[in-house]
């Protein structure tokens, strides 16, 4: 099944609430969409959602690199996913979001060719997926509580709070949300590398009674030894995010006993192919995973949700970004249930089920065999 056409375009969508983190503020999705068409007539869609502070790439670099990679892909077998992904990694350095987009399209094509929803093609089955909702860094506790109230009113049963403020300033924000939410709402916190080890220790010990699911990436991505020490010296589980891009990172984190959970993001891993390896390493090490996202539309979210359905050790779901979009450029794919905050309704169409409304795309580029 040869690739005979590659379409590339930019996709920009504003979001309702800016998400502020110690690594920067997201006010809109600045993504790149790719479409691969084969000689059988089957096509696949993928989406890159770069975040330079973490992945090292950008919409501009993804778009330009995509035009070069398209020439490599033309005439190649779309079903030979291992070979295609290997070629893309060999031809790029620092463009994991873009590799993820092409990978997503390969799997969309393969599942369509098999006549299966992607989760079934990957060996999974339907189960309930319910995402949390993220609240970015707010300047005051009152502002944090106002957003938490919106999340609770929408019916979400899990909240993720961005932290990483100086000193112990995060403690009062998290404590206030716990008091507002009550005991039955899950609360997770994400520092995005915003703390050093002494601040992390002091903050987490002060939050020990707040029944938190985990703290995500409390220390700098390179400081795996520090993550291991933090796990030993306090009781809140540690989740690795920016420290984890590949299955090799997963093996190192497991060997160092540096994390309780591993956060898989397709945009970090370079797509589903490597994400499956990460999940396998985690399972072998007795670790659970979460599935996360950057600023993907329901296209990228759909691919991630199908992966979560395919692997039982993907336990935590953090796929809320498209919920925040001011407009929806996607047809089909995963949807958020209106009456149950965070509940994800999975398409049973072959592939990941999502397509881009092409009228929403900007600067389209096409190359044909």
């Amino acid at each position: 099944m040869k690739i005979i056409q590659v379409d590339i375009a930019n996709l920009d969508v504003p979001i309702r609430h800016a998400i502020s983190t110690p690594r920067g503020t997201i006010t809109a999705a600045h993504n790149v969409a790719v479409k691969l068409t084969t000689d059988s007539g089957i096509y696949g869609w993928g989406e890159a959602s770069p975040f330079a502070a973490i992945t090292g790439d950008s919409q501009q670099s993804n778009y330009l690199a995509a035009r070069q990679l398209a020439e490599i892909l033309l005439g190649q077998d779309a079903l030979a996913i291992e070979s295609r992904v290997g070629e893309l990694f060999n031809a790029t350095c620092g463009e994991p979001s873009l590799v993820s987009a092409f990978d997503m399209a390969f799997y969309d094509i393969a599942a369509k060719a098999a006549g299966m929803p992607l989760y079934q093609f990957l060996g999974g089955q339907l189960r309930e997926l319910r995402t949390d909702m993220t609240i970015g860094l707010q300047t005051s506790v009152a502002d944090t509580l106002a957003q938490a109230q919106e999340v609770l009113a929408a019916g979400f049963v899990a909240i993720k709070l961005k932290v990483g403020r100086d000193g112990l300033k995060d403690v009062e924000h998290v404590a206030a949300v716990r008091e507002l939410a009550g005991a039955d709402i899950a609360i997770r916190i994400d520092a995005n590398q915003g703390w050093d080890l002494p601040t992390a220790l002091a903050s987490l010990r002060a939050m020990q009674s707040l029944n938190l699911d985990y703290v995500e990436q409390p220390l700098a991505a390179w400081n795996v030894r520090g993550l291991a020490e933090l796990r030993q010296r306090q009781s809140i589980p540690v989740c690795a995010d920016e420290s984890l891009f590949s299955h090799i990172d997963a093996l190192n984190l497991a060997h160092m006993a540096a994390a309780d959970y591993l956060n898989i993001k397709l945009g970090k891993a370079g797509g589903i192919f490597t994400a499956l390896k990460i999940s396998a390493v985690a399972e072998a090490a007795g670790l659970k995973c979460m599935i996360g996202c950057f600023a993907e539309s329901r296209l990228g979210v759909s691919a991630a949700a199908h992966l979560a359905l395919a692997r039982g050790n993907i336990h935590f779901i953090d796929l809320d970004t498209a919920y925040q979009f001011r407009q929806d450029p996607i047809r089909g794919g995963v949807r958020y249930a209106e009456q149950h905050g965070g509940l994800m309704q999975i398409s049973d169409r072959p592939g990941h089920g999502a397509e881009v409304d092409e009228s929403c795309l900007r600067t389209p580029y096409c190359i044909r065999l």
Side-chain angles (χ1 to χ4, degrees):
M1 191 177 290
K2 292 184 179 180
I3 299 167
I4 61 170
Q5 180 172 317
V6 181
D7 292 276
I8 304 156
N10 289 324
L11 176 64
D12 300 301
V13 187
I15 61 177
R16 293 191 187 97
H17 293 297
I19 304 295
S20 294
T21 80
R23 307 302 296 174
T25 299
I26 300 172
T27 59
H30 297 296
N31 298 344
V32 174
V34 302
K35 180 183 179 183
L36 304 180
T37 303
T38 69
D39 56 1
S40 71
I42 296 175
Y43 58 86
W45 281 97
E47 179 183 23
S49 184
F51 186 29
I54 295 175
T55 56
D57 50 1
S58 67
Q59 184 185 55
Q60 182 180 21
S61 72
N62 278 181
Y63 181 80
L64 293 175
R67 294 175 62 159
Q68 297 175 325
L69 294 181
E71 297 183 10
I72 296 174
L73 294 177
L74 282 179
Q76 299 300 314
D77 183 359
L79 299 181
I81 295 176
E82 181 173 12
S83 293
R84 299 292 79 78
V85 171
E87 290 165 357
L88 295 179
F89 273 124
N90 287 338
T92 61
C93 180
E95 301 286 339
S97 308
L98 178 61
V99 176
S100 173
F102 283 116
D103 167 285
M104 208 177 290
F106 296 146
Y107 277 98
D108 193 23
I109 289 169
K112 286 176 177 176
M116 297 179 179
L118 180 54
Y119 70 82
Q120 189 178 57
F121 176 79
L122 295 173
Q125 61 183 355
L126 284 176
R127 60 183 170 96
E128 182 177 293
L129 295 185
R130 196 160 183 169
T131 180
D132 56 21
M133 176 57 73
T134 299
I135 298 173
L137 290 172
Q138 306 298 313
T139 55
S140 71
V141 173
D143 289 339
T144 297
L145 286 175
Q147 286 209 18
Q149 186 62 63
E150 286 185 29
V151 173
L152 294 170
F156 283 83
V157 297
I159 294 174
K160 186 163 86 165
L161 291 166
K162 295 293 186 180
V163 295
R165 301 173 180 87
D166 293 336
L168 296 176
K169 292 178 183 177
D170 291 304
V171 177
E172 58 180 338
H173 288 259
V174 179
V177 172
R178 171 54 75 200
E179 182 176 1
L180 173 70
D184 295 333
I185 298 296
I187 297 179
R188 300 116 189 212
I189 60 173
D190 182 5
N192 287 113
Q193 309 178 64
W195 289 330
D196 58 18
L197 181 57
T199 303
L201 275 171
S203 296
L204 295 178
R205 285 170 175 169
M207 298 182 200
Q208 187 170 336
S209 64
L210 299 180
N211 189 27
L212 304 180
D213 282 350
Y214 56 75
V215 55
E216 188 176 338
Q217 201 61 48
L219 305 178
W222 56 265
N223 195 3
V224 176
R225 189 176 299 277
L227 290 177
E229 182 177 347
L230 186 65
R231 281 191 70 229
Q232 293 174 352
R233 297 178 61 184
Q234 57 80 45
S235 61
I236 296 173
V238 172
C239 177
D241 181 3
E242 290 95 318
S243 295
L244 173 74
F245 278 67
S246 70
H247 52 295
I248 298 169
D249 296 328
L251 184 62
N252 188 41
L253 287 159
H255 177 72
M256 296 285 290
D260 299 277
Y261 307 120
L262 302 181
N263 185 2
I264 299 172
K265 289 180 179 173
L266 298 183
K268 287 186 300 163
I272 294 169
F273 184 76
T274 301
L276 291 168
K277 294 182 181 181
I278 293 172
S279 174
V281 170
E283 187 171 23
L287 302 176
K288 284 187 166 59
C289 294
M290 66 177 284
I291 188 78
C293 55
F294 289 111
E296 288 91 339
S297 70
R298 287 192 302 104
L299 171 56
V301 166
S302 293
H306 278 269
L307 172 64
L309 289 174
R311 289 297 177 268
N313 75 325
I314 298 180
H315 182 68
F316 296 107
I317 311 299
D318 181 31
L319 298 175
D320 59 337
T321 50
Y323 187 91
Q324 296 278 16
F325 280 16
R326 290 186 179 274
Q327 60 201 56
D328 187 356
I330 304 302
R331 300 191 183 107
V334 168
R335 296 192 177 276
Y336 301 102
E338 293 184 5
Q339 303 300 321
H340 306 280
L343 184 64
M344 306 184 76
Q345 299 171 326
I346 312 299
S347 169
D348 60 359
R349 292 171 53 188
H352 55 55
E355 299 188 5
V356 181
D357 178 349
E358 297 188 43
S359 68
C360 298
L361 296 173
R362 183 172 60 84
T363 60
Y365 172 82
C366 177
I367 184 171
R368 299 181 180 89
L369 189 64

